[in-house]
Amino acid sequence: MADQGRRDFIGMVFGGVAAVGGVASLYAMKRTWDPLPSVMAAGFTTVDLSPMKEGEFRTVQWRGKPIFILKKSKEMKKCDDRDLMVGNEDYLIAIGLCTHLGCIPAWEADKQIFKCACHGGEFDACGVNTFGPPPRPLDIPPFKIEGTKLVLGEEGPEYKKLVGKA
Amino acid sequence: MAHFEKANSVGEWLDQRLAVNKLMKVMMTEYWIPKNINFLWAMGVVLMTMFTVLLISGIFLLMYYKPDTKLAFDSVNYTIMQEVYFGWLWRHMHAVAASVVFLVIYIHMFTAIYYGSYKRGREMIWISGMLLFVTFSAEAFSGYMLPWGQMSYWAAQVITNLFGGIPFIGDELVIWIRGNFYVADSTLTRFFMLHVLLLPLVIMGIIGLHFYSLRIPHVNNQEGEEIDFDAEAEKYKAGQKKESKVIPFWPVFLSKDLFVMGVFMIFYFYLVFYHYNFAMDPINFDPANPMKTPAHIYPEWYFLWSYEVLRGFFFDVGPIAAMDIGLAAFGIANVIFFLMPVLDRSPVVKPAHKRGPFFIWFWILVVDMIVLTIWGKLPPTGINAWIGFFATIVFLVSLLVALPAITKKEAERAGGAA
Ligand code: FES
């Protein structure tokens, strides 16, 4: 009987050691697939908004994704809860990937819409889905405002306000 | 210590140490196969051959391929295709085999469904086969990505994006899988590792399991007849070859398999030399560009049916977004066939044409999957969206509702008759 107890004990100790080793290696494996520090550090992009003209549309690249920036003119549709105000200027900032399957929609200036050629999804000048399969408006990337500069990749107060409301 | 006699031949020497004679018997000369099976049963051997072709052609491609986003496209489209002697041959063999392997897998699967080869002790054969199907799918997808063309890139983008649909951890999971915020070099290198090492190892392991799982319940036959393999084998060994219902795998049965394989290989090489294009998407001859999507994204033909299930629901139902229903349906489509042995409630093992309603069910499923495959490639707009939607509904209902209902009735009838 004492023998059995000793065996059980050794069995449990072995199980414990194996479990610790297993968890540790799983953690190491998980971390190995995490983005590298250099990737994380390269996650910021700064764009100067001041040279943009009214009604101008641009695409910049951030973290390999297209970012739409549209400086709105007077006639363009405004949305309080999705537009970014820098001073008195009104901008749309959005990740330019269709929320359906990830195609890049094109800005059609004459119709004032973003049209996704893949399955015909449409978004208005506020980035809100108005037609077709996209399930939600275009996503807003994390950003921060420094004067007239837009820093993509950091969650500033303006960003928190936008998504808090949206 | 074991005692060894001096061996008189190499064969004997090996037999003493490795029991090769016994092994040959178990694996080949006394591995019994029913006589009444048709050419559809040769698909296993065809698949094994295709896997070997993929492995060998893959090894030759591996020697020139460069898993780097800057070099990958040219290493395939310039180095392998233009410079390497016979590089084009390996590439076309690899690409065509990757495509037809799925054709054969589907035939293999539907043969099993038609003849009820997934039940009465054969469940593990079916389950291990489905595991093979899933790993082959992952293998095909990871390989499709490697040439780093536009379609490769956006396929990777869409497929990795799907994981974003998983509640709570989705967004982080996508970044983790990609190793970056977008499909980037880290994504390419890890998929390369999966494609050339990890998944092939897993596949080989499951192939071993799949073969082993056949050993005890034995292979099914055209009539679904229950054969006493031991008794029939005795008859065969006693010389009553005519009366016996079984034949040995080697050399008798394999000769038939080899014939089917010969015909298949002619078809295969015809494709490799004259129609390799069907396995190559023209869009994939543009280098990957993360800032520009092709107008219309679709997967390879063998994934189209499940892709269409994913897209089938294009409108929200109450509070649930269309995307989420689609994802759930897609998830179901990918695991539902594993459950065949459970969904089919009837113990009857017979070919479908002797099972009445099951026969109709079988052909509805086949036709529906063909419809899904065709519409999976069409843009999902207008009427196409509706056809995709109804085909998706038919798919889900026939497997989840109709199959259990039909087979339950059948089980009652069978019970009543006995
Ligand atoms: S990806 Fe934009 S509509 Fe489908």
Side-chain angles (χ1 to χ4, degrees), chain B residues 6 30 49 119 137 155 176 189 195 209 242 260 263 297 309 323 327 332 341 344 363 366 382 398 401 407 416:
Chain B
K6 185 179 177 320
E30 291 188 10
T49 315
K119 42 187 173 176
S137 300
W176 183 74
T189 47
H195 186 71
L209 173 67
K242 274 239 175 66
V260 177
V263 174
I297 302 180
V309 169
M323 264 304 256
L327 267 178
I332 293 173
D344 187 336
W363 286 110
V366 171
S398 66
V401 182
T407 48

PDB file of all heavy atoms in Angstrom, chain B residues 6 30 49 119 137 155 176 189 195 209 242 260 263 297 309 323 327 332 341 344 363 366 382 398 401 407 416:
ATOM      1  N   LYS B   6      22.345 -19.132 -39.090  1.00  0.00           N
ATOM      2  CA  LYS B   6      22.998 -18.509 -40.229  1.00  0.00           C
ATOM      3  C   LYS B   6      22.003 -18.458 -41.402  1.00  0.00           C
ATOM      4  O   LYS B   6      21.344 -19.458 -41.709  1.00  0.00           O
ATOM      5  CB  LYS B   6      24.222 -19.331 -40.629  1.00  0.00           C
ATOM      6  CG  LYS B   6      25.028 -18.679 -41.733  1.00  0.00           C
ATOM      7  CD  LYS B   6      26.233 -19.551 -42.052  1.00  0.00           C
ATOM      8  CE  LYS B   6      27.062 -19.015 -43.212  1.00  0.00           C
ATOM      9  NZ  LYS B   6      26.308 -18.463 -44.324  1.00  0.00           N
ATOM     10  N   GLU B  30      -1.786 -11.329 -48.166  1.00  0.00           N
ATOM     11  CA  GLU B  30      -2.932 -11.857 -47.418  1.00  0.00           C
ATOM     12  C   GLU B  30      -3.776 -10.727 -46.839  1.00  0.00           C
ATOM     13  O   GLU B  30      -4.395 -10.858 -45.783  1.00  0.00           O
ATOM     14  CB  GLU B  30      -2.471 -12.859 -46.350  1.00  0.00           C
ATOM     15  CG  GLU B  30      -1.959 -14.120 -47.017  1.00  0.00           C
ATOM     16  CD  GLU B  30      -1.646 -15.251 -46.060  1.00  0.00           C
ATOM     17  OE1 GLU B  30      -1.993 -15.143 -44.870  1.00  0.00           O
ATOM     18  OE2 GLU B  30      -1.048 -16.228 -46.522  1.00  0.00           O
ATOM     19  N   THR B  49      -1.057   7.909 -55.463  1.00  0.00           N
ATOM     20  CA  THR B  49      -0.139   8.245 -56.558  1.00  0.00           C
ATOM     21  C   THR B  49      -0.015   9.756 -56.723  1.00  0.00           C
ATOM     22  O   THR B  49       1.077  10.293 -56.871  1.00  0.00           O
ATOM     23  CB  THR B  49      -0.665   7.655 -57.881  1.00  0.00           C
ATOM     24  OG1 THR B  49      -1.084   6.321 -57.626  1.00  0.00           O
ATOM     25  CG2 THR B  49       0.398   7.667 -58.953  1.00  0.00           C
ATOM     26  N   LYS B 119     -20.377   3.461 -42.297  1.00  0.00           N
ATOM     27  CA  LYS B 119     -21.044   2.940 -41.103  1.00  0.00           C
ATOM     28  C   LYS B 119     -20.754   1.471 -40.843  1.00  0.00           C
ATOM     29  O   LYS B 119     -20.016   0.846 -41.582  1.00  0.00           O
ATOM     30  CB  LYS B 119     -22.541   3.197 -41.168  1.00  0.00           C
ATOM     31  CG  LYS B 119     -23.191   2.964 -42.492  1.00  0.00           C
ATOM     32  CD  LYS B 119     -24.624   3.445 -42.384  1.00  0.00           C
ATOM     33  CE  LYS B 119     -25.302   3.408 -43.722  1.00  0.00           C
ATOM     34  NZ  LYS B 119     -26.702   3.774 -43.609  1.00  0.00           N
ATOM     35  N   SER B 137      -6.936  20.434 -47.676  1.00  0.00           N
ATOM     36  CA  SER B 137      -7.432  21.780 -47.971  1.00  0.00           C
ATOM     37  C   SER B 137      -6.446  22.829 -47.461  1.00  0.00           C
ATOM     38  O   SER B 137      -6.124  23.782 -48.175  1.00  0.00           O
ATOM     39  CB  SER B 137      -8.792  22.016 -47.329  1.00  0.00           C
ATOM     40  OG  SER B 137      -9.717  21.079 -47.812  1.00  0.00           O
ATOM     41  N   ALA B 155      -6.370  36.052 -51.687  1.00  0.00           N
ATOM     42  CA  ALA B 155      -6.939  34.848 -51.074  1.00  0.00           C
ATOM     43  C   ALA B 155      -6.465  34.762 -49.630  1.00  0.00           C
ATOM     44  O   ALA B 155      -7.248  34.520 -48.708  1.00  0.00           O
ATOM     45  CB  ALA B 155      -6.514  33.608 -51.845  1.00  0.00           C
ATOM     46  N   TRP B 176      -2.104  37.823 -35.226  1.00  0.00           N
ATOM     47  CA  TRP B 176      -1.196  36.763 -34.778  1.00  0.00           C
ATOM     48  C   TRP B 176      -0.912  35.774 -35.910  1.00  0.00           C
ATOM     49  O   TRP B 176       0.236  35.391 -36.140  1.00  0.00           O
ATOM     50  CB  TRP B 176      -1.814  36.036 -33.566  1.00  0.00           C
ATOM     51  CG  TRP B 176      -0.909  34.998 -33.008  1.00  0.00           C
ATOM     52  CD1 TRP B 176       0.220  35.214 -32.257  1.00  0.00           C
ATOM     53  CD2 TRP B 176      -1.039  33.584 -33.136  1.00  0.00           C
ATOM     54  NE1 TRP B 176       0.792  34.016 -31.935  1.00  0.00           N
ATOM     55  CE2 TRP B 176       0.051  33.004 -32.453  1.00  0.00           C
ATOM     56  CE3 TRP B 176      -1.963  32.748 -33.769  1.00  0.00           C
ATOM     57  CZ2 TRP B 176       0.234  31.622 -32.376  1.00  0.00           C
ATOM     58  CZ3 TRP B 176      -1.780  31.378 -33.691  1.00  0.00           C
ATOM     59  CH2 TRP B 176      -0.696  30.821 -32.996  1.00  0.00           C
ATOM     60  N   THR B 189       6.336  33.363 -45.012  1.00  0.00           N
ATOM     61  CA  THR B 189       7.297  32.364 -44.521  1.00  0.00           C
ATOM     62  C   THR B 189       6.625  31.324 -43.640  1.00  0.00           C
ATOM     63  O   THR B 189       6.965  30.148 -43.703  1.00  0.00           O
ATOM     64  CB  THR B 189       8.458  33.025 -43.770  1.00  0.00           C
ATOM     65  OG1 THR B 189       7.929  33.972 -42.868  1.00  0.00           O
ATOM     66  CG2 THR B 189       9.396  33.708 -44.737  1.00  0.00           C
ATOM     67  N   HIS B 195       3.354  24.568 -45.548  1.00  0.00           N
ATOM     68  CA  HIS B 195       3.148  23.865 -46.812  1.00  0.00           C
ATOM     69  C   HIS B 195       4.205  22.794 -47.076  1.00  0.00           C
ATOM     70  O   HIS B 195       3.892  21.730 -47.583  1.00  0.00           O
ATOM     71  CB  HIS B 195       3.128  24.856 -47.974  1.00  0.00           C
ATOM     72  CG  HIS B 195       2.781  24.222 -49.283  1.00  0.00           C
ATOM     73  ND1 HIS B 195       1.509  23.779 -49.575  1.00  0.00           N
ATOM     74  CD2 HIS B 195       3.525  23.919 -50.370  1.00  0.00           C
ATOM     75  CE1 HIS B 195       1.492  23.247 -50.778  1.00  0.00           C
ATOM     76  NE2 HIS B 195       2.707  23.308 -51.289  1.00  0.00           N
ATOM     77  N   LEU B 209      -2.924   6.329 -40.668  1.00  0.00           N
ATOM     78  CA  LEU B 209      -4.109   6.017 -39.865  1.00  0.00           C
ATOM     79  C   LEU B 209      -5.260   5.540 -40.755  1.00  0.00           C
ATOM     80  O   LEU B 209      -5.966   4.579 -40.431  1.00  0.00           O
ATOM     81  CB  LEU B 209      -4.522   7.266 -39.080  1.00  0.00           C
ATOM     82  CG  LEU B 209      -5.838   7.197 -38.310  1.00  0.00           C
ATOM     83  CD1 LEU B 209      -5.729   6.188 -37.170  1.00  0.00           C
ATOM     84  CD2 LEU B 209      -6.227   8.559 -37.758  1.00  0.00           C
ATOM     85  N   LYS B 242     -12.438 -19.563 -57.184  1.00  0.00           N
ATOM     86  CA  LYS B 242     -13.707 -19.179 -57.798  1.00  0.00           C
ATOM     87  C   LYS B 242     -14.776 -18.928 -56.747  1.00  0.00           C
ATOM     88  O   LYS B 242     -15.496 -17.936 -56.794  1.00  0.00           O
ATOM     89  CB  LYS B 242     -14.189 -20.289 -58.729  1.00  0.00           C
ATOM     90  CG  LYS B 242     -13.626 -20.198 -60.137  1.00  0.00           C
ATOM     91  CD  LYS B 242     -14.786 -20.078 -61.154  1.00  0.00           C
ATOM     92  CE  LYS B 242     -14.264 -19.869 -62.559  1.00  0.00           C
ATOM     93  NZ  LYS B 242     -13.522 -21.042 -63.059  1.00  0.00           N
ATOM     94  N   VAL B 260      -6.834   1.169 -63.693  1.00  0.00           N
ATOM     95  CA  VAL B 260      -7.549   2.437 -63.511  1.00  0.00           C
ATOM     96  C   VAL B 260      -6.547   3.582 -63.401  1.00  0.00           C
ATOM     97  O   VAL B 260      -6.716   4.651 -63.994  1.00  0.00           O
ATOM     98  CB  VAL B 260      -8.436   2.388 -62.250  1.00  0.00           C
ATOM     99  CG1 VAL B 260      -9.114   3.728 -62.026  1.00  0.00           C
ATOM    100  CG2 VAL B 260      -9.466   1.295 -62.380  1.00  0.00           C
ATOM    101  N   VAL B 263      -5.136   4.645 -66.769  1.00  0.00           N
ATOM    102  CA  VAL B 263      -6.067   5.508 -67.503  1.00  0.00           C
ATOM    103  C   VAL B 263      -6.048   6.909 -66.912  1.00  0.00           C
ATOM    104  O   VAL B 263      -5.966   7.919 -67.619  1.00  0.00           O
ATOM    105  CB  VAL B 263      -7.504   4.924 -67.455  1.00  0.00           C
ATOM    106  CG1 VAL B 263      -8.491   5.890 -68.095  1.00  0.00           C
ATOM    107  CG2 VAL B 263      -7.534   3.572 -68.143  1.00  0.00           C
ATOM    108  N   ILE B 297     -12.878  38.454 -56.462  1.00  0.00           N
ATOM    109  CA  ILE B 297     -12.049  37.448 -55.800  1.00  0.00           C
ATOM    110  C   ILE B 297     -12.823  36.157 -55.662  1.00  0.00           C
ATOM    111  O   ILE B 297     -13.977  36.158 -55.260  1.00  0.00           O
ATOM    112  CB  ILE B 297     -11.631  37.917 -54.392  1.00  0.00           C
ATOM    113  CG1 ILE B 297     -10.889  39.235 -54.485  1.00  0.00           C
ATOM    114  CG2 ILE B 297     -10.735  36.900 -53.719  1.00  0.00           C
ATOM    115  CD1 ILE B 297     -10.462  39.740 -53.138  1.00  0.00           C
ATOM    116  N   VAL B 309     -21.346  28.945 -49.748  1.00  0.00           N
ATOM    117  CA  VAL B 309     -22.100  28.834 -48.498  1.00  0.00           C
ATOM    118  C   VAL B 309     -21.784  30.033 -47.602  1.00  0.00           C
ATOM    119  O   VAL B 309     -22.660  30.615 -46.962  1.00  0.00           O
ATOM    120  CB  VAL B 309     -21.775  27.507 -47.769  1.00  0.00           C
ATOM    121  CG1 VAL B 309     -22.345  27.501 -46.356  1.00  0.00           C
ATOM    122  CG2 VAL B 309     -22.322  26.323 -48.557  1.00  0.00           C
ATOM    123  N   MET B 323     -22.998  38.626 -42.405  1.00  0.00           N
ATOM    124  CA  MET B 323     -21.647  38.096 -42.356  1.00  0.00           C
ATOM    125  C   MET B 323     -21.511  36.972 -41.327  1.00  0.00           C
ATOM    126  O   MET B 323     -20.869  35.955 -41.578  1.00  0.00           O
ATOM    127  CB  MET B 323     -20.672  39.217 -41.952  1.00  0.00           C
ATOM    128  CG  MET B 323     -19.968  39.921 -43.080  1.00  0.00           C
ATOM    129  SD  MET B 323     -19.059  38.816 -44.145  1.00  0.00           S
ATOM    130  CE  MET B 323     -17.398  39.106 -43.624  1.00  0.00           C
ATOM    131  N   LEU B 327     -20.592  33.091 -41.820  1.00  0.00           N
ATOM    132  CA  LEU B 327     -19.456  32.450 -41.160  1.00  0.00           C
ATOM    133  C   LEU B 327     -19.878  31.172 -40.457  1.00  0.00           C
ATOM    134  O   LEU B 327     -19.198  30.146 -40.546  1.00  0.00           O
ATOM    135  CB  LEU B 327     -18.850  33.398 -40.123  1.00  0.00           C
ATOM    136  CG  LEU B 327     -17.695  34.265 -40.608  1.00  0.00           C
ATOM    137  CD1 LEU B 327     -17.241  35.172 -39.477  1.00  0.00           C
ATOM    138  CD2 LEU B 327     -16.531  33.399 -41.070  1.00  0.00           C
ATOM    139  N   ILE B 332     -20.202  25.243 -40.376  1.00  0.00           N
ATOM    140  CA  ILE B 332     -20.971  23.997 -40.425  1.00  0.00           C
ATOM    141  C   ILE B 332     -20.589  23.201 -41.671  1.00  0.00           C
ATOM    142  O   ILE B 332     -20.317  22.001 -41.602  1.00  0.00           O
ATOM    143  CB  ILE B 332     -22.487  24.299 -40.422  1.00  0.00           C
ATOM    144  CG1 ILE B 332     -22.893  24.909 -39.081  1.00  0.00           C
ATOM    145  CG2 ILE B 332     -23.288  23.033 -40.701  1.00  0.00           C
ATOM    146  CD1 ILE B 332     -24.323  25.406 -39.026  1.00  0.00           C
ATOM    147  N   PRO B 341     -21.587   9.530 -40.170  1.00  0.00           N
ATOM    148  CA  PRO B 341     -21.980   8.296 -39.476  1.00  0.00           C
ATOM    149  C   PRO B 341     -23.074   8.529 -38.426  1.00  0.00           C
ATOM    150  O   PRO B 341     -23.801   7.609 -38.079  1.00  0.00           O
ATOM    151  CB  PRO B 341     -20.681   7.826 -38.800  1.00  0.00           C
ATOM    152  CG  PRO B 341     -19.582   8.513 -39.526  1.00  0.00           C
ATOM    153  CD  PRO B 341     -20.154   9.809 -40.005  1.00  0.00           C
ATOM    154  N   ASP B 344     -26.608   9.790 -40.518  1.00  0.00           N
ATOM    155  CA  ASP B 344     -27.300   8.670 -41.134  1.00  0.00           C
ATOM    156  C   ASP B 344     -27.710   7.713 -40.022  1.00  0.00           C
ATOM    157  O   ASP B 344     -26.880   7.015 -39.443  1.00  0.00           O
ATOM    158  CB  ASP B 344     -26.363   7.988 -42.136  1.00  0.00           C
ATOM    159  CG  ASP B 344     -27.088   6.911 -42.934  1.00  0.00           C
ATOM    160  OD1 ASP B 344     -28.095   6.391 -42.434  1.00  0.00           O
ATOM    161  OD2 ASP B 344     -26.629   6.606 -44.048  1.00  0.00           O
ATOM    162  N   TRP B 363     -28.547  12.343 -54.785  1.00  0.00           N
ATOM    163  CA  TRP B 363     -28.380  13.113 -56.024  1.00  0.00           C
ATOM    164  C   TRP B 363     -28.737  14.576 -55.843  1.00  0.00           C
ATOM    165  O   TRP B 363     -28.158  15.442 -56.482  1.00  0.00           O
ATOM    166  CB  TRP B 363     -29.150  12.463 -57.173  1.00  0.00           C
ATOM    167  CG  TRP B 363     -28.418  11.231 -57.620  1.00  0.00           C
ATOM    168  CD1 TRP B 363     -28.813   9.932 -57.455  1.00  0.00           C
ATOM    169  CD2 TRP B 363     -27.118  11.172 -58.246  1.00  0.00           C
ATOM    170  NE1 TRP B 363     -27.858   9.073 -57.938  1.00  0.00           N
ATOM    171  CE2 TRP B 363     -26.807   9.805 -58.436  1.00  0.00           C
ATOM    172  CE3 TRP B 363     -26.196  12.124 -58.660  1.00  0.00           C
ATOM    173  CZ2 TRP B 363     -25.620   9.371 -59.030  1.00  0.00           C
ATOM    174  CZ3 TRP B 363     -25.017  11.711 -59.253  1.00  0.00           C
ATOM    175  CH2 TRP B 363     -24.732  10.347 -59.433  1.00  0.00           C
ATOM    176  N   VAL B 366     -25.580  16.062 -54.507  1.00  0.00           N
ATOM    177  CA  VAL B 366     -24.544  16.203 -55.544  1.00  0.00           C
ATOM    178  C   VAL B 366     -24.860  17.392 -56.446  1.00  0.00           C
ATOM    179  O   VAL B 366     -24.005  18.258 -56.686  1.00  0.00           O
ATOM    180  CB  VAL B 366     -24.420  14.905 -56.377  1.00  0.00           C
ATOM    181  CG1 VAL B 366     -23.509  15.136 -57.583  1.00  0.00           C
ATOM    182  CG2 VAL B 366     -23.887  13.769 -55.521  1.00  0.00           C
ATOM    183  N   GLY B 382     -27.673  40.481 -57.757  1.00  0.00           N
ATOM    184  CA  GLY B 382     -28.967  40.214 -58.379  1.00  0.00           C
ATOM    185  C   GLY B 382     -29.447  38.797 -58.146  1.00  0.00           C
ATOM    186  O   GLY B 382     -29.404  38.274 -57.037  1.00  0.00           O
ATOM    187  N   SER B 398     -30.599  19.648 -46.311  1.00  0.00           N
ATOM    188  CA  SER B 398     -30.512  18.239 -46.709  1.00  0.00           C
ATOM    189  C   SER B 398     -29.600  17.463 -45.770  1.00  0.00           C
ATOM    190  O   SER B 398     -29.878  16.307 -45.474  1.00  0.00           O
ATOM    191  CB  SER B 398     -30.052  18.113 -48.162  1.00  0.00           C
ATOM    192  OG  SER B 398     -28.736  18.563 -48.285  1.00  0.00           O
ATOM    193  N   VAL B 401     -31.315  18.150 -41.710  1.00  0.00           N
ATOM    194  CA  VAL B 401     -32.701  17.766 -41.443  1.00  0.00           C
ATOM    195  C   VAL B 401     -33.117  16.529 -42.244  1.00  0.00           C
ATOM    196  O   VAL B 401     -33.557  15.526 -41.690  1.00  0.00           O
ATOM    197  CB  VAL B 401     -33.661  18.938 -41.758  1.00  0.00           C
ATOM    198  CG1 VAL B 401     -35.091  18.542 -41.423  1.00  0.00           C
ATOM    199  CG2 VAL B 401     -33.252  20.184 -41.012  1.00  0.00           C
ATOM    200  N   THR B 407     -33.293   8.610 -42.999  1.00  0.00           N
ATOM    201  CA  THR B 407     -32.637   7.380 -42.552  1.00  0.00           C
ATOM    202  C   THR B 407     -33.299   6.811 -41.303  1.00  0.00           C
ATOM    203  O   THR B 407     -33.224   5.620 -41.054  1.00  0.00           O
ATOM    204  CB  THR B 407     -31.142   7.632 -42.301  1.00  0.00           C
ATOM    205  OG1 THR B 407     -30.990   8.806 -41.505  1.00  0.00           O
ATOM    206  CG2 THR B 407     -30.417   7.843 -43.613  1.00  0.00           C
ATOM    207  N   GLY B 416     -38.746  -3.327 -38.921  1.00  0.00           N
ATOM    208  CA  GLY B 416     -40.019  -4.005 -39.107  1.00  0.00           C
ATOM    209  C   GLY B 416     -39.876  -5.265 -39.942  1.00  0.00           C
ATOM    210  O   GLY B 416     -40.508  -6.281 -39.687  1.00  0.00           O
TER     211      GLY B 416
END
